[in-house]
Structures are given as structure tokens and as C-alpha cells.
Amino acid sequence: MEIIKLNATSSTNMYLKDLILSSSVNDFTVVTAKKQTFGRGQMGTSWNSEEGKNLTFSVLKKFDNFFIDNQFLLSICVSLSIYETLYNLKVPNLTIKWPNDILSGTSKICGILIENSLSGSKIQTSIIGIGLNVNQIVFNNLLNVSSLKLLLGKSINLDELLQLILKDLKDHLSSFQNRSKEELWSVYEANMFRINKPSTFEDGNGNLIMGFIRGVTPQGKLLVELEDSILKEYGLKELNLKY
């Protein structure tokens, strides 16, 4: 495992993308930075992180025979890997907010951004970007955000934590294609935020909707039960869980 440590970069995902274009990069190469000037989350959102306080890193994963139809399995695998690491650190009340944010209670502590490079119907490479709030304790006006230090009451060694996460992530990525899809889906859904609880959503038109999260489709869409027991599927940009 090669780990490239940077003081600052625009985005570790972008740095790794550029590196792939300019040189031969080994599977499971890791790029980590103390500071990102253009960190990104899902749907083009920004990821704000205080310099030197958190983990912001990206991992390259190469595939030989991984079809794009199964891409949400990769998201499940990465989410469960981070979940497992934090669970073993005794972070309380962990859940996964669809598609792959990690929460403690109602507060976000980790975001994941996966960007795939395709060849026909197969994924050649994935760049897995992870931002984890570790030792930051002030988040200005951001709501529903926390960190490991706030939750556990102590500072965490960033290098040691990175090694723990990478070990778990490598173990999961090495085996997930050989595991039962049903098993992975079942574990993921069992740990979803607000699964089977009455929830309020906002659709793409700004309308508020009441419903119950019932799971995730094989295509990675959120499955919501609306009034009159109607089941409807929503893509990432089509629905926002409010509470």
C-alpha cells in the first residue's frame, strides 16, 4: 500500500485522478491531505474541514470484472467498512444515511464520494474519497455535524486512525465481490438512518413528503413507502431527507 501525504491540495480525488493520467499507479494507492481547498461531497456540495484536524483522503481501487450494474455494492461496501471501524472505536448511535454518509445520532461525521472510470459496461477504476471529522470541535454555522473528539471526549491520532480505516477498507474491498449481494444489502439496510420510521422528505420541486424508508433498490435508489402504501423509488437528486 502506497500512501502519498500532502500538506494541501484542491481535492484528494482530483489529485489521484491527475496522477492516474500522468503515471502508472498501483491498486490501493492512497492520497491524504492536511488541507483541501476544494473538497467535494455528493451532488457537488463542498466538504469543509479545518486544516490538520481531520482525515481527508482518497483511495484508488482497480477492478478486472466489475459491472456497472453492481456499482451500488461498492458504495455499500465502503459505507459498511467505515461503519465497522467507527463501531469498534465505540462511536455511539451509528447509522448510514443513504447513500453513504455516516451519522452518530442525527449528526454527520463522515462523507464518502466515489467516482468511477468506465470501460463499456464495466468499472475499470474507482476513486473513493473519504472525509471524516476527527479532532475538529467548531463547525461555525453548520448544523447536524459532529466529530470523533466531540463524541468520544478525547483527541485521536490521525495516522493511527488512518491505518485502522485502511486496513478495514482493504479487507472489505478485497472480498466484497465474492460475498452474497443479499447479505451485504441486508446489513446495509439494517443500519440505515431512519429505516422504517416516519420521516419527512423534500422532493426536487421543494414539496414536503411524508413517508417511510423501506430500503434500497438494486440500482441504489431509495425505496420510500408513501401514503396508501405506495412504494416509490428516488434517485440521489430527487429526494432529500429532512428529518
Side-chain angles (χ1 to χ4, degrees), residues 85-114:
T85 304
L86 298 179
Y87 180 85
N88 290 333
L89 291 173
K90 299 186 175 3
V91 178
N93 304 317
L94 286 170
T95 53
I96 303 168
K97 183 180 178 183
W98 174 82
N100 49 27
D101 284 342
I102 310 297
L103 308 187
S104 174
T106 58
S107 296
K108 180 175 177 177
I109 54 176
C110 181
I112 298 166
L113 177 64
I114 301 175

Side-chain angles (χ1 to χ4, degrees), residues 65-89:
N65 195 36
F66 185 38
F67 287 90
I68 190 172
D69 289 346
N70 295 321
Q71 64 178 318
F72 197 71
L73 279 175
L74 177 60
S75 182
I76 286 177
C77 169
V78 176
S79 300
L80 291 177
S81 175
I82 301 296
Y83 180 100
E84 180 179 298
T85 304
L86 298 179
Y87 180 85
N88 290 333
L89 291 173

